Amino acid sequence: MSNAMDEFEALLNESFEMDTPEEGSVVKGKVIAIEAGQAIIDVGYKMEGRVELKEFADPGESPKIAVGDEVEVFLRQVENSRGEAVISREMARREEAWDRLEKAYAAEERVEGAIFGRVKGGFTVDLGGAVAFLPGSQVDVRPVRDAGPLMGLKQPFQVLKMDRRRGNIVVSRRAILEESRAEQRAEVIGNLTEGQEVDGVVKNITEYGAFVDLGGVDGLLHVTDMAWRRVNHPSEILAIGETIKVQVIKINKETHRISLGMKQLQEDPWDLVAAKYPLESSHTGRVTNITDYGAFVELEPGVEGLVHVSEMSWTKKNVHPGKIVSTSQEVEVMVLEIDGAKRRVSLGLKQTMRNPWEVFAETHPEGTEVEGEVKNITEFGLFVGLDGDIDGMVHLSDLSWDQRGEEAIQDYRKGDTVQAVVSEVDVEKERISLSIKGVGGDKFAEAVGGVKRGSVVTVNVTSIEDGGIEVEYEGMKAFIRRSDLSRDRAEQRPERFSVGDKVDVRITNVDAKAHRLGVSIKAREIAEEKEAVEQYGSSDSGASLGDILGAALKGDE
């Protein structure tokens, strides 16, 4: 029996609970009247309550409510001082919304809502009863300056975080845009093929290239693929917002990166290079770039050649190319070599000018007198600057007839102007030999023209030294050593002579090359004696040498 009693009690309790709903729960009600901006709602259990009409409206819209509508409301209090139930539609909606949102969050589904207010760091979003926070960074893919146009629009959001106890919801609009962008991207990329020609809009320009929008997906157009010619900065060719034709060069399926090219749609000037620029032909080009090893010269847009530093000048050997040419300068160059595979042309600058050594050799035959400035002094001679930016060298031995080279070179200083004659030009070795002592023709040859070995001439004594005496003949100096002063040893004393004496000497040697005369008094005496002996009998016939010489001298007189 007690069992039946228990059941009855349980049913009774249940009926009581049904009769008086619990405060803090959501109950169903019916709109019985609308007055003074409020809806009067019968929630059953002999209870009525009022709800402000605006609670039935979404942000920015008019209330959707009419007499006879069934609505769910939140019962906050069973009875207030006026004997009415305190009910709220908003709170019911919030409860409803939270249930719905939690399901969507768990299933990672999108939810609908509208941005309705601005708060620090972002915006408030009404998700059909529950208020969520939309951080500024989550509004769009790119920072949004003005969110005005987005206000009040019904649109999808992604729930990022929920905390029911604290009443916190964080949503993102960006996640949805990114997703649709990724889908759009995948679709656009799916429709592209390598080699295809497409139109795009220049969105951004950097040092190394430009980003081009191909309708929802960006491709990179590298600066080297913009034109066949050298482009220093993409802005030379493109402007932001411009529509351009490009070719899809490469699509990376993993990273979805797309490489584009513009020059691929133009004719490659290299196809015609070999025919247009035969070897050894000369062309005018423009210097585009200068490096330590040479200068690049553009022959036409897209075709550049390198003038190696060694091909720049005949005369300036170890000079930086920037000292010879300057950027943008027009120069005449010769084609030396073409490598189509490497797209390289070797050019020469000096080949378009004549070899200055050849020119010099033609215009200055041996013996020509030249004048120049002493550029450099070394231990083996002087370097003299000549026409055509070339140097000639005067060897020590060519400085002076009278002085030793080491002494003669002491008289010269850098910057002196000197006269010299050309003694040899070697075009191959790029060498010019000069002589200073040869200037004014060969005075020696003129002076000693009629003099041969064995002639007897009269000379002037110009100086007395320990080892002999210095004499002069027709302006040419000669030295008579002690042993040559007399055949008689007792007479071989330099001090026997004085400066200004005239002496007869026999010429023992004529060295035209070294401009030296060998002279001797002793040789003259011996020759005279020999002659006398031949003429007046030999000493063997019994006549003494004194007799013979006496006779010879008488004959002279």
Side-chain angles (χ1 to χ4, degrees), residues 111-174:
V111 296
E112 237 194 19
I115 300 174
F116 70 89
R118 212 178 278 256
V119 292
K120 186 170 191 266
F123 302 89
T124 47
V125 180
D126 179 6
L127 299 176
V131 176
F133 173 59
L134 171 65
S137 62
Q138 293 297 324
V139 177
D140 206 326
V141 180
R142 291 190 179 78
V144 174
R145 286 204 178 78
D146 176 23
L150 300 172
M151 292 291 217
L153 279 181
K154 273 248 164 76
Q155 53 189 326
F157 293 90
Q158 189 89 38
V159 179
L160 299 182
K161 260 201 274 191
M162 286 186 83
D163 181 342
R164 192 161 190 161
R165 212 162 43 81
R166 290 185 159 158
N168 271 355
I169 308 177
V170 180
V171 291
S172 167
R173 175 171 173 265
R174 173 179 169 170

Side-chain angles (χ1 to χ4, degrees), residues 470-533:
E470 189 186 59
V471 297
E472 184 187 61
Y473 172 70
E474 298 279 349
M476 298 295 139
K477 293 265 171 70
F479 191 75
I480 306 176
R481 293 196 308 273
R482 261 191 122 106
S483 56
D484 280 321
L485 287 176
S486 171
R487 61 171 292 181
D488 188 346
R489 292 214 42 178
E491 297 296 306
Q492 290 175 350
R493 303 193 317 280
E495 53 275 19
R496 228 165 34 94
F497 299 90
S498 351
V499 173
D501 284 1
K502 287 194 168 14
V503 186
D504 284 353
V505 294
R506 182 180 169 107
I507 293 184
T508 55
N509 187 17
V510 179
D511 185 343
K513 207 154 189 235
H515 279 212
R516 279 222 177 85
L517 273 182
V519 295
S520 167
I521 298 173
K522 175 180 173 179
R524 186 205 81 210
E525 291 175 350
I526 291 171
E528 280 174 356
E529 183 182 304
K530 231 167 123 190
E531 217 172 290
V533 168

